Amino acid sequence: MENLKDCFQKLKDSGLKVTPQRLAIVKILEGNTCHPSADKIYNEVKKKYPMISFATVYKTLKVLAEIGEIQQLKIVEKKVNFDPNTDPHNHFFCKKCREIRDVFPGKKINLKEIDGHLIEKYQVYFYGICSKCRKQN
Amino acid sequence: MENLKDCFQKLKDSGLKVTPQRLAIVKILEGNTCHPSADKIYNEVKKKYPMISFATVYKTLKVLAEIGEIQQLKIVEKKVNFDPNTDPHNHFFCKKCREIRDVFPGKKINLKEIDGHLIEKYQVYFYGICSKCRKQN
DNA sequence: GTACTTGCAAACAGTTTGCATAGGC
DNA sequence: GCCTATGCAAACTGTTTGCAAGTAC
C-alpha cells in the first residue's frame, strides 16, 4: 500500500466504493508495521465506528488483498495477519512475545540469527503454478 | 522421521505408548511426501481402524510434532499439513492442483521459477525468540 | 436509480477439550 | 494396577455466508 489516495484509486478502478468503514480500515493499515490480525483491526476500527461488524472487516480485508494493497501472512496458527507492505520482505515470529517483526532482505542470514533474533526454525513457502499444471495448460 | 523403530523408541523415551492407532498413523506418514492434512490421515487410517476418531489423530499428530518426528506446514489457508521430513527443505503450493511439493535447497532460484514451478509469490517465515525478548532474559 | 456495501446472525471448517472407558506395559 | 490413550460429543477459534436494509456515486 503506497498511500491512501493510491489505495482509493485502485478501489474505484475495480468498481468498488470508498465507504467510511473502508476509509477507517485503510487508515489503520497505512504504514502499519505491526501485522495486525482481523481481530486487532476490528477492535481498533470499533473505537471510531462502534457499529462496525466483523463481517465488514473481513470483507474489506479480502477486497484489499485482492487488489494487491495488502498481503496475508499465515505465520501464526489458525490466524491470518495483514501487512500493508507488499514489497518483498520476510517475517519473524517470536514465540515469547508473539509479535511478528519485519526482516528485510539483503541481510546476512546464518540460519541461527537475523537482526539479533534467535532463529529456531524457518519455513519458505512458494506459491504459484507447479510444473505439472503448467504443462497441462 | 527416520524410520518406524526410531520413532517408537522416541515415543517410549518420552513415556508415551505405542498403540495400534499410533502405529497406523506413523506408517502412513513414514516416507510420505504428499504432506497430508489431518483430514487425509484420518480417512486413510480409517480404512484399517474404522473406529478411530479425529481426536486420536490430532492428539497423535501433536505428540509426533512435539517429539520432533514430523513438522507442521501452515501453507494452506486454515489447514495444517504434516511432513515427516524434518530436514531443511522448502515447499511449493500450487493454486491449481492445490498440492504441496517439496523444493530442496541448493537449487538456483530466480524468484520466478524453481524446479519448473512458476513462482507468483513467496513467503519466508522465521520462528524463534526476538532480540527484545532475548535481552529481557 | 443502481449497484455495491453494511451489519446481523447463523453457518462453517479445522482443531481442541473433558470425560468415562479401554488398554499398554 | 497404574497411568496413558481412546472415542465420543461438545466446545472453541477464526472466518465466511446469506440476506434485508442502507448508502456511495
PDB file of all heavy atoms in Angstrom, chain B residues 17-18 38 55 58-59 62 78-80, chain C residues 13-19 23-25:
ATOM      1  N   LYS B  17       3.105 -44.308  24.811  1.00  0.00           N
ATOM      2  CA  LYS B  17       2.887 -45.702  24.412  1.00  0.00           C
ATOM      3  C   LYS B  17       2.724 -45.887  22.907  1.00  0.00           C
ATOM      4  O   LYS B  17       2.234 -44.999  22.215  1.00  0.00           O
ATOM      5  CB  LYS B  17       1.663 -46.246  25.135  1.00  0.00           C
ATOM      6  CG  LYS B  17       1.968 -46.517  26.596  1.00  0.00           C
ATOM      7  CD  LYS B  17       0.713 -46.758  27.387  1.00  0.00           C
ATOM      8  CE  LYS B  17       1.084 -46.829  28.866  1.00  0.00           C
ATOM      9  NZ  LYS B  17      -0.111 -46.828  29.715  1.00  0.00           N
ATOM     10  N   VAL B  18       3.129 -47.064  22.463  1.00  0.00           N
ATOM     11  CA  VAL B  18       2.957 -47.397  21.052  1.00  0.00           C
ATOM     12  C   VAL B  18       1.664 -48.196  20.915  1.00  0.00           C
ATOM     13  O   VAL B  18       1.622 -49.380  21.209  1.00  0.00           O
ATOM     14  CB  VAL B  18       4.147 -48.224  20.523  1.00  0.00           C
ATOM     15  CG1 VAL B  18       3.914 -48.599  19.072  1.00  0.00           C
ATOM     16  CG2 VAL B  18       5.445 -47.464  20.685  1.00  0.00           C
ATOM     17  N   ALA B  38      -4.646 -33.426   8.452  1.00  0.00           N
ATOM     18  CA  ALA B  38      -5.204 -34.314   9.477  1.00  0.00           C
ATOM     19  C   ALA B  38      -6.375 -35.105   8.892  1.00  0.00           C
ATOM     20  O   ALA B  38      -6.533 -36.298   9.155  1.00  0.00           O
ATOM     21  CB  ALA B  38      -5.650 -33.497  10.684  1.00  0.00           C
ATOM     22  N   ALA B  55     -10.107 -36.999  17.172  1.00  0.00           N
ATOM     23  CA  ALA B  55      -9.369 -36.601  18.370  1.00  0.00           C
ATOM     24  C   ALA B  55      -8.068 -37.379  18.486  1.00  0.00           C
ATOM     25  O   ALA B  55      -7.017 -36.811  18.768  1.00  0.00           O
ATOM     26  CB  ALA B  55     -10.232 -36.804  19.604  1.00  0.00           C
ATOM     27  N   TYR B  58      -5.575 -36.158  15.840  1.00  0.00           N
ATOM     28  CA  TYR B  58      -4.990 -34.870  16.221  1.00  0.00           C
ATOM     29  C   TYR B  58      -4.028 -35.008  17.391  1.00  0.00           C
ATOM     30  O   TYR B  58      -2.955 -34.408  17.405  1.00  0.00           O
ATOM     31  CB  TYR B  58      -6.086 -33.866  16.568  1.00  0.00           C
ATOM     32  CG  TYR B  58      -6.647 -33.165  15.351  1.00  0.00           C
ATOM     33  CD1 TYR B  58      -7.926 -33.418  14.897  1.00  0.00           C
ATOM     34  CD2 TYR B  58      -5.872 -32.245  14.654  1.00  0.00           C
ATOM     35  CE1 TYR B  58      -8.439 -32.770  13.781  1.00  0.00           C
ATOM     36  CE2 TYR B  58      -6.378 -31.597  13.529  1.00  0.00           C
ATOM     37  CZ  TYR B  58      -7.657 -31.860  13.103  1.00  0.00           C
ATOM     38  OH  TYR B  58      -8.151 -31.225  11.997  1.00  0.00           O
ATOM     39  N   LYS B  59      -4.425 -35.805  18.373  1.00  0.00           N
ATOM     40  CA  LYS B  59      -3.555 -35.972  19.542  1.00  0.00           C
ATOM     41  C   LYS B  59      -2.250 -36.640  19.153  1.00  0.00           C
ATOM     42  O   LYS B  59      -1.175 -36.256  19.615  1.00  0.00           O
ATOM     43  CB  LYS B  59      -4.280 -36.762  20.634  1.00  0.00           C
ATOM     44  CG  LYS B  59      -5.308 -35.916  21.390  1.00  0.00           C
ATOM     45  CD  LYS B  59      -6.204 -36.790  22.271  1.00  0.00           C
ATOM     46  CE  LYS B  59      -7.340 -35.969  22.866  1.00  0.00           C
ATOM     47  NZ  LYS B  59      -8.375 -36.822  23.507  1.00  0.00           N
ATOM     48  N   LYS B  62      -0.036 -34.233  17.252  1.00  0.00           N
ATOM     49  CA  LYS B  62       0.539 -33.264  18.178  1.00  0.00           C
ATOM     50  C   LYS B  62       1.751 -33.869  18.887  1.00  0.00           C
ATOM     51  O   LYS B  62       2.803 -33.237  19.001  1.00  0.00           O
ATOM     52  CB  LYS B  62      -0.518 -32.849  19.204  1.00  0.00           C
ATOM     53  CG  LYS B  62      -0.155 -31.592  19.962  1.00  0.00           C
ATOM     54  CD  LYS B  62      -1.241 -31.228  20.966  1.00  0.00           C
ATOM     55  CE  LYS B  62      -0.845 -29.958  21.731  1.00  0.00           C
ATOM     56  NZ  LYS B  62      -1.792 -29.661  22.817  1.00  0.00           N
ATOM     57  N   LYS B  78      -6.098 -21.979   6.700  1.00  0.00           N
ATOM     58  CA  LYS B  78      -6.842 -22.684   7.759  1.00  0.00           C
ATOM     59  C   LYS B  78      -6.244 -24.028   8.181  1.00  0.00           C
ATOM     60  O   LYS B  78      -6.171 -24.349   9.360  1.00  0.00           O
ATOM     61  CB  LYS B  78      -8.305 -22.923   7.361  1.00  0.00           C
ATOM     62  CG  LYS B  78      -9.142 -21.675   7.341  1.00  0.00           C
ATOM     63  CD  LYS B  78     -10.569 -22.076   7.029  1.00  0.00           C
ATOM     64  CE  LYS B  78     -11.444 -20.857   6.797  1.00  0.00           C
ATOM     65  NZ  LYS B  78     -12.774 -21.200   6.363  1.00  0.00           N
ATOM     66  N   LYS B  79      -5.886 -24.830   7.190  1.00  0.00           N
ATOM     67  CA  LYS B  79      -5.410 -26.173   7.472  1.00  0.00           C
ATOM     68  C   LYS B  79      -3.963 -26.210   7.929  1.00  0.00           C
ATOM     69  O   LYS B  79      -3.165 -25.353   7.583  1.00  0.00           O
ATOM     70  CB  LYS B  79      -5.451 -27.004   6.194  1.00  0.00           C
ATOM     71  CG  LYS B  79      -6.694 -27.752   5.974  1.00  0.00           C
ATOM     72  CD  LYS B  79      -6.500 -28.632   4.756  1.00  0.00           C
ATOM     73  CE  LYS B  79      -7.840 -29.042   4.216  1.00  0.00           C
ATOM     74  NZ  LYS B  79      -7.761 -29.853   3.038  1.00  0.00           N
ATOM     75  N   VAL B  80      -3.607 -27.279   8.612  1.00  0.00           N
ATOM     76  CA  VAL B  80      -2.208 -27.598   8.860  1.00  0.00           C
ATOM     77  C   VAL B  80      -1.915 -28.863   8.079  1.00  0.00           C
ATOM     78  O   VAL B  80      -2.727 -29.779   8.038  1.00  0.00           O
ATOM     79  CB  VAL B  80      -1.937 -27.801  10.360  1.00  0.00           C
ATOM     80  CG1 VAL B  80      -0.537 -28.318  10.584  1.00  0.00           C
ATOM     81  CG2 VAL B  80      -2.143 -26.509  11.121  1.00  0.00           C
TER      82      VAL B  80
ATOM     83  P    DA C  13     -17.986 -26.837   6.124  1.00  0.00           P
ATOM     84  OP1  DA C  13     -17.886 -27.333   4.739  1.00  0.00           O
ATOM     85  OP2  DA C  13     -18.620 -27.659   7.173  1.00  0.00           O
ATOM     86  O5'  DA C  13     -16.528 -26.450   6.610  1.00  0.00           O
ATOM     87  C5'  DA C  13     -15.798 -25.436   5.914  1.00  0.00           C
ATOM     88  C4'  DA C  13     -14.419 -25.375   6.527  1.00  0.00           C
ATOM     89  O4'  DA C  13     -14.520 -24.727   7.813  1.00  0.00           O
ATOM     90  C3'  DA C  13     -13.803 -26.745   6.757  1.00  0.00           C
ATOM     91  O3'  DA C  13     -12.455 -26.728   6.309  1.00  0.00           O
ATOM     92  C2'  DA C  13     -13.918 -26.981   8.250  1.00  0.00           C
ATOM     93  C1'  DA C  13     -14.005 -25.566   8.833  1.00  0.00           C
ATOM     94  N9   DA C  13     -14.929 -25.452   9.968  1.00  0.00           N
ATOM     95  C8   DA C  13     -16.134 -26.048  10.126  1.00  0.00           C
ATOM     96  N7   DA C  13     -16.735 -25.747  11.249  1.00  0.00           N
ATOM     97  C5   DA C  13     -15.851 -24.872  11.868  1.00  0.00           C
ATOM     98  C6   DA C  13     -15.895 -24.177  13.096  1.00  0.00           C
ATOM     99  N6   DA C  13     -16.907 -24.270  13.954  1.00  0.00           N
ATOM    100  N1   DA C  13     -14.850 -23.392  13.406  1.00  0.00           N
ATOM    101  C2   DA C  13     -13.831 -23.298  12.544  1.00  0.00           C
ATOM    102  N3   DA C  13     -13.669 -23.886  11.353  1.00  0.00           N
ATOM    103  C4   DA C  13     -14.729 -24.672  11.079  1.00  0.00           C
ATOM    104  P    DG C  14     -11.594 -28.062   6.371  1.00  0.00           P
ATOM    105  OP1  DG C  14     -10.684 -28.019   5.213  1.00  0.00           O
ATOM    106  OP2  DG C  14     -12.500 -29.201   6.589  1.00  0.00           O
ATOM    107  O5'  DG C  14     -10.726 -27.850   7.675  1.00  0.00           O
ATOM    108  C5'  DG C  14      -9.976 -26.661   7.831  1.00  0.00           C
ATOM    109  C4'  DG C  14      -9.479 -26.582   9.247  1.00  0.00           C
ATOM    110  O4'  DG C  14     -10.581 -26.342  10.130  1.00  0.00           O
ATOM    111  C3'  DG C  14      -8.797 -27.868   9.733  1.00  0.00           C
ATOM    112  O3'  DG C  14      -7.517 -27.528  10.222  1.00  0.00           O
ATOM    113  C2'  DG C  14      -9.735 -28.388  10.821  1.00  0.00           C
ATOM    114  C1'  DG C  14     -10.434 -27.118  11.288  1.00  0.00           C
ATOM    115  N9   DG C  14     -11.770 -27.333  11.855  1.00  0.00           N
ATOM    116  C8   DG C  14     -12.773 -28.108  11.340  1.00  0.00           C
ATOM    117  N7   DG C  14     -13.854 -28.099  12.081  1.00  0.00           N
ATOM    118  C5   DG C  14     -13.545 -27.264  13.142  1.00  0.00           C
ATOM    119  C6   DG C  14     -14.318 -26.866  14.261  1.00  0.00           C
ATOM    120  O6   DG C  14     -15.474 -27.192  14.544  1.00  0.00           O
ATOM    121  N1   DG C  14     -13.621 -26.002  15.101  1.00  0.00           N
ATOM    122  C2   DG C  14     -12.342 -25.577  14.889  1.00  0.00           C
ATOM    123  N2   DG C  14     -11.825 -24.754  15.802  1.00  0.00           N
ATOM    124  N3   DG C  14     -11.598 -25.937  13.839  1.00  0.00           N
ATOM    125  C4   DG C  14     -12.254 -26.774  13.012  1.00  0.00           C
ATOM    126  P    DT C  15      -6.554 -28.607  10.876  1.00  0.00           P
ATOM    127  OP1  DT C  15      -5.179 -28.119  10.662  1.00  0.00           O
ATOM    128  OP2  DT C  15      -6.962 -29.957  10.448  1.00  0.00           O
ATOM    129  O5'  DT C  15      -6.885 -28.433  12.427  1.00  0.00           O
ATOM    130  C5'  DT C  15      -6.816 -27.131  12.990  1.00  0.00           C
ATOM    131  C4'  DT C  15      -7.300 -27.164  14.414  1.00  0.00           C
ATOM    132  O4'  DT C  15      -8.708 -27.472  14.448  1.00  0.00           O
ATOM    133  C3'  DT C  15      -6.618 -28.216  15.289  1.00  0.00           C
ATOM    134  O3'  DT C  15      -5.856 -27.513  16.265  1.00  0.00           O
ATOM    135  C2'  DT C  15      -7.767 -29.016  15.899  1.00  0.00           C
ATOM    136  C1'  DT C  15      -8.962 -28.102  15.683  1.00  0.00           C
ATOM    137  N1   DT C  15     -10.283 -28.756  15.573  1.00  0.00           N
ATOM    138  C2   DT C  15     -11.237 -28.481  16.537  1.00  0.00           C
ATOM    139  O2   DT C  15     -11.020 -27.729  17.470  1.00  0.00           O
ATOM    140  N3   DT C  15     -12.440 -29.124  16.367  1.00  0.00           N
ATOM    141  C4   DT C  15     -12.793 -29.989  15.349  1.00  0.00           C
ATOM    142  O4   DT C  15     -13.905 -30.508  15.311  1.00  0.00           O
ATOM    143  C5   DT C  15     -11.752 -30.234  14.367  1.00  0.00           C
ATOM    144  C7   DT C  15     -12.018 -31.165  13.232  1.00  0.00           C
ATOM    145  C6   DT C  15     -10.569 -29.614  14.526  1.00  0.00           C
ATOM    146  P    DT C  16      -5.061 -28.270  17.416  1.00  0.00           P
ATOM    147  OP1  DT C  16      -3.926 -27.415  17.778  1.00  0.00           O
ATOM    148  OP2  DT C  16      -4.871 -29.666  17.018  1.00  0.00           O
ATOM    149  O5'  DT C  16      -6.098 -28.230  18.617  1.00  0.00           O
ATOM    150  C5'  DT C  16      -6.650 -26.989  19.002  1.00  0.00           C
ATOM    151  C4'  DT C  16      -7.550 -27.189  20.207  1.00  0.00           C
ATOM    152  O4'  DT C  16      -8.775 -27.839  19.803  1.00  0.00           O
ATOM    153  C3'  DT C  16      -6.938 -28.060  21.311  1.00  0.00           C
ATOM    154  O3'  DT C  16      -7.054 -27.304  22.500  1.00  0.00           O
ATOM    155  C2'  DT C  16      -7.794 -29.330  21.305  1.00  0.00           C
ATOM    156  C1'  DT C  16      -9.118 -28.839  20.744  1.00  0.00           C
ATOM    157  N1   DT C  16      -9.938 -29.819  19.981  1.00  0.00           N
ATOM    158  C2   DT C  16     -11.266 -29.966  20.311  1.00  0.00           C
ATOM    159  O2   DT C  16     -11.798 -29.359  21.215  1.00  0.00           O
ATOM    160  N3   DT C  16     -11.957 -30.865  19.531  1.00  0.00           N
ATOM    161  C4   DT C  16     -11.459 -31.606  18.484  1.00  0.00           C
ATOM    162  O4   DT C  16     -12.175 -32.368  17.860  1.00  0.00           O
ATOM    163  C5   DT C  16     -10.061 -31.404  18.192  1.00  0.00           C
ATOM    164  C7   DT C  16      -9.429 -32.170  17.084  1.00  0.00           C
ATOM    165  C6   DT C  16      -9.373 -30.532  18.944  1.00  0.00           C
ATOM    166  P    DT C  17      -6.509 -27.843  23.889  1.00  0.00           P
ATOM    167  OP1  DT C  17      -5.956 -26.663  24.575  1.00  0.00           O
ATOM    168  OP2  DT C  17      -5.671 -29.030  23.640  1.00  0.00           O
ATOM    169  O5'  DT C  17      -7.805 -28.314  24.665  1.00  0.00           O
ATOM    170  C5'  DT C  17      -8.957 -27.482  24.702  1.00  0.00           C
ATOM    171  C4'  DT C  17     -10.085 -28.215  25.413  1.00  0.00           C
ATOM    172  O4'  DT C  17     -10.756 -29.080  24.482  1.00  0.00           O
ATOM    173  C3'  DT C  17      -9.617 -29.087  26.586  1.00  0.00           C
ATOM    174  O3'  DT C  17     -10.263 -28.619  27.767  1.00  0.00           O
ATOM    175  C2'  DT C  17     -10.076 -30.507  26.222  1.00  0.00           C
ATOM    176  C1'  DT C  17     -11.077 -30.292  25.106  1.00  0.00           C
ATOM    177  N1   DT C  17     -11.074 -31.309  24.011  1.00  0.00           N
ATOM    178  C2   DT C  17     -12.276 -31.839  23.610  1.00  0.00           C
ATOM    179  O2   DT C  17     -13.338 -31.541  24.120  1.00  0.00           O
ATOM    180  N3   DT C  17     -12.188 -32.741  22.577  1.00  0.00           N
ATOM    181  C4   DT C  17     -11.038 -33.155  21.930  1.00  0.00           C
ATOM    182  O4   DT C  17     -11.103 -33.962  21.021  1.00  0.00           O
ATOM    183  C5   DT C  17      -9.816 -32.556  22.402  1.00  0.00           C
ATOM    184  C7   DT C  17      -8.519 -32.940  21.770  1.00  0.00           C
ATOM    185  C6   DT C  17      -9.890 -31.676  23.410  1.00  0.00           C
ATOM    186  P    DG C  18      -9.972 -29.256  29.215  1.00  0.00           P
ATOM    187  OP1  DG C  18     -10.046 -28.158  30.191  1.00  0.00           O
ATOM    188  OP2  DG C  18      -8.757 -30.095  29.141  1.00  0.00           O
ATOM    189  O5'  DG C  18     -11.239 -30.202  29.418  1.00  0.00           O
ATOM    190  C5'  DG C  18     -12.554 -29.731  29.131  1.00  0.00           C
ATOM    191  C4'  DG C  18     -13.577 -30.745  29.625  1.00  0.00           C
ATOM    192  O4'  DG C  18     -13.812 -31.741  28.603  1.00  0.00           O
ATOM    193  C3'  DG C  18     -13.176 -31.528  30.870  1.00  0.00           C
ATOM    194  O3'  DG C  18     -14.370 -31.808  31.615  1.00  0.00           O
ATOM    195  C2'  DG C  18     -12.540 -32.795  30.315  1.00  0.00           C
ATOM    196  C1'  DG C  18     -13.332 -33.017  29.019  1.00  0.00           C
ATOM    197  N9   DG C  18     -12.564 -33.560  27.893  1.00  0.00           N
ATOM    198  C8   DG C  18     -11.245 -33.332  27.598  1.00  0.00           C
ATOM    199  N7   DG C  18     -10.850 -33.939  26.504  1.00  0.00           N
ATOM    200  C5   DG C  18     -11.979 -34.604  26.051  1.00  0.00           C
ATOM    201  C6   DG C  18     -12.171 -35.417  24.911  1.00  0.00           C
ATOM    202  O6   DG C  18     -11.369 -35.730  24.042  1.00  0.00           O
ATOM    203  N1   DG C  18     -13.479 -35.891  24.835  1.00  0.00           N
ATOM    204  C2   DG C  18     -14.469 -35.618  25.730  1.00  0.00           C
ATOM    205  N2   DG C  18     -15.660 -36.159  25.502  1.00  0.00           N
ATOM    206  N3   DG C  18     -14.307 -34.845  26.802  1.00  0.00           N
ATOM    207  C4   DG C  18     -13.041 -34.381  26.898  1.00  0.00           C
ATOM    208  P    DC C  19     -14.299 -32.586  33.040  1.00  0.00           P
ATOM    209  OP1  DC C  19     -15.368 -32.007  33.877  1.00  0.00           O
ATOM    210  OP2  DC C  19     -12.903 -32.652  33.520  1.00  0.00           O
ATOM    211  O5'  DC C  19     -14.746 -34.066  32.628  1.00  0.00           O
ATOM    212  C5'  DC C  19     -15.928 -34.266  31.844  1.00  0.00           C
ATOM    213  C4'  DC C  19     -16.028 -35.724  31.416  1.00  0.00           C
ATOM    214  O4'  DC C  19     -15.203 -35.939  30.246  1.00  0.00           O
ATOM    215  C3'  DC C  19     -15.545 -36.717  32.485  1.00  0.00           C
ATOM    216  O3'  DC C  19     -16.491 -37.760  32.618  1.00  0.00           O
ATOM    217  C2'  DC C  19     -14.241 -37.247  31.903  1.00  0.00           C
ATOM    218  C1'  DC C  19     -14.534 -37.179  30.412  1.00  0.00           C
ATOM    219  N1   DC C  19     -13.331 -37.181  29.536  1.00  0.00           N
ATOM    220  C2   DC C  19     -13.395 -37.839  28.300  1.00  0.00           C
ATOM    221  O2   DC C  19     -14.448 -38.390  27.973  1.00  0.00           O
ATOM    222  N3   DC C  19     -12.297 -37.854  27.496  1.00  0.00           N
ATOM    223  C4   DC C  19     -11.178 -37.239  27.898  1.00  0.00           C
ATOM    224  N4   DC C  19     -10.122 -37.276  27.074  1.00  0.00           N
ATOM    225  C5   DC C  19     -11.086 -36.555  29.144  1.00  0.00           C
ATOM    226  C6   DC C  19     -12.178 -36.557  29.930  1.00  0.00           C
ATOM    227  P    DG C  23     -10.171 -52.439  24.824  1.00  0.00           P
ATOM    228  OP1  DG C  23     -10.282 -52.805  23.394  1.00  0.00           O
ATOM    229  OP2  DG C  23     -10.577 -53.395  25.881  1.00  0.00           O
ATOM    230  O5'  DG C  23      -8.668 -52.013  25.114  1.00  0.00           O
ATOM    231  C5'  DG C  23      -8.044 -50.982  24.350  1.00  0.00           C
ATOM    232  C4'  DG C  23      -6.632 -50.787  24.884  1.00  0.00           C
ATOM    233  O4'  DG C  23      -6.695 -50.168  26.194  1.00  0.00           O
ATOM    234  C3'  DG C  23      -5.847 -52.085  25.069  1.00  0.00           C
ATOM    235  O3'  DG C  23      -4.496 -51.815  24.744  1.00  0.00           O
ATOM    236  C2'  DG C  23      -5.980 -52.351  26.554  1.00  0.00           C
ATOM    237  C1'  DG C  23      -5.898 -50.930  27.088  1.00  0.00           C
ATOM    238  N9   DG C  23      -6.428 -50.714  28.425  1.00  0.00           N
ATOM    239  C8   DG C  23      -7.567 -51.261  28.979  1.00  0.00           C
ATOM    240  N7   DG C  23      -7.786 -50.856  30.207  1.00  0.00           N
ATOM    241  C5   DG C  23      -6.728 -50.000  30.480  1.00  0.00           C
ATOM    242  C6   DG C  23      -6.420 -49.262  31.658  1.00  0.00           C
ATOM    243  O6   DG C  23      -7.042 -49.220  32.715  1.00  0.00           O
ATOM    244  N1   DG C  23      -5.247 -48.514  31.505  1.00  0.00           N
ATOM    245  C2   DG C  23      -4.479 -48.486  30.367  1.00  0.00           C
ATOM    246  N2   DG C  23      -3.394 -47.726  30.399  1.00  0.00           N
ATOM    247  N3   DG C  23      -4.759 -49.171  29.259  1.00  0.00           N
ATOM    248  C4   DG C  23      -5.886 -49.899  29.397  1.00  0.00           C
ATOM    249  P    DG C  24      -3.650 -52.855  23.929  1.00  0.00           P
ATOM    250  OP1  DG C  24      -4.003 -52.735  22.507  1.00  0.00           O
ATOM    251  OP2  DG C  24      -3.750 -54.168  24.614  1.00  0.00           O
ATOM    252  O5'  DG C  24      -2.166 -52.285  24.141  1.00  0.00           O
ATOM    253  C5'  DG C  24      -1.865 -50.931  23.832  1.00  0.00           C
ATOM    254  C4'  DG C  24      -0.725 -50.413  24.703  1.00  0.00           C
ATOM    255  O4'  DG C  24      -1.210 -50.172  26.045  1.00  0.00           O
ATOM    256  C3'  DG C  24       0.480 -51.329  24.849  1.00  0.00           C
ATOM    257  O3'  DG C  24       1.652 -50.508  24.804  1.00  0.00           O
ATOM    258  C2'  DG C  24       0.291 -51.987  26.217  1.00  0.00           C
ATOM    259  C1'  DG C  24      -0.459 -50.914  27.003  1.00  0.00           C
ATOM    260  N9   DG C  24      -1.453 -51.395  27.979  1.00  0.00           N
ATOM    261  C8   DG C  24      -2.480 -52.264  27.730  1.00  0.00           C
ATOM    262  N7   DG C  24      -3.234 -52.489  28.786  1.00  0.00           N
ATOM    263  C5   DG C  24      -2.663 -51.716  29.785  1.00  0.00           C
ATOM    264  C6   DG C  24      -3.049 -51.547  31.145  1.00  0.00           C
ATOM    265  O6   DG C  24      -3.980 -52.059  31.747  1.00  0.00           O
ATOM    266  N1   DG C  24      -2.183 -50.667  31.815  1.00  0.00           N
ATOM    267  C2   DG C  24      -1.113 -50.032  31.256  1.00  0.00           C
ATOM    268  N2   DG C  24      -0.408 -49.238  32.061  1.00  0.00           N
ATOM    269  N3   DG C  24      -0.733 -50.177  29.979  1.00  0.00           N
ATOM    270  C4   DG C  24      -1.567 -51.028  29.305  1.00  0.00           C
ATOM    271  P    DC C  25       3.079 -51.120  24.542  1.00  0.00           P
ATOM    272  OP1  DC C  25       3.865 -50.055  23.887  1.00  0.00           O
ATOM    273  OP2  DC C  25       2.929 -52.445  23.912  1.00  0.00           O
ATOM    274  O5'  DC C  25       3.650 -51.313  26.012  1.00  0.00           O
ATOM    275  C5'  DC C  25       3.861 -50.158  26.832  1.00  0.00           C
ATOM    276  C4'  DC C  25       4.239 -50.587  28.233  1.00  0.00           C
ATOM    277  O4'  DC C  25       3.056 -50.982  28.957  1.00  0.00           O
ATOM    278  C3'  DC C  25       5.207 -51.779  28.290  1.00  0.00           C
ATOM    279  O3'  DC C  25       6.313 -51.460  29.102  1.00  0.00           O
ATOM    280  C2'  DC C  25       4.377 -52.887  28.948  1.00  0.00           C
ATOM    281  C1'  DC C  25       3.377 -52.080  29.758  1.00  0.00           C
ATOM    282  N1   DC C  25       2.099 -52.796  30.059  1.00  0.00           N
ATOM    283  C2   DC C  25       1.463 -52.586  31.298  1.00  0.00           C
ATOM    284  O2   DC C  25       1.980 -51.819  32.113  1.00  0.00           O
ATOM    285  N3   DC C  25       0.302 -53.234  31.559  1.00  0.00           N
ATOM    286  C4   DC C  25      -0.233 -54.053  30.646  1.00  0.00           C
ATOM    287  N4   DC C  25      -1.379 -54.653  30.946  1.00  0.00           N
ATOM    288  C5   DC C  25       0.402 -54.283  29.392  1.00  0.00           C
ATOM    289  C6   DC C  25       1.553 -53.640  29.148  1.00  0.00           C
TER     290       DC C  25
END
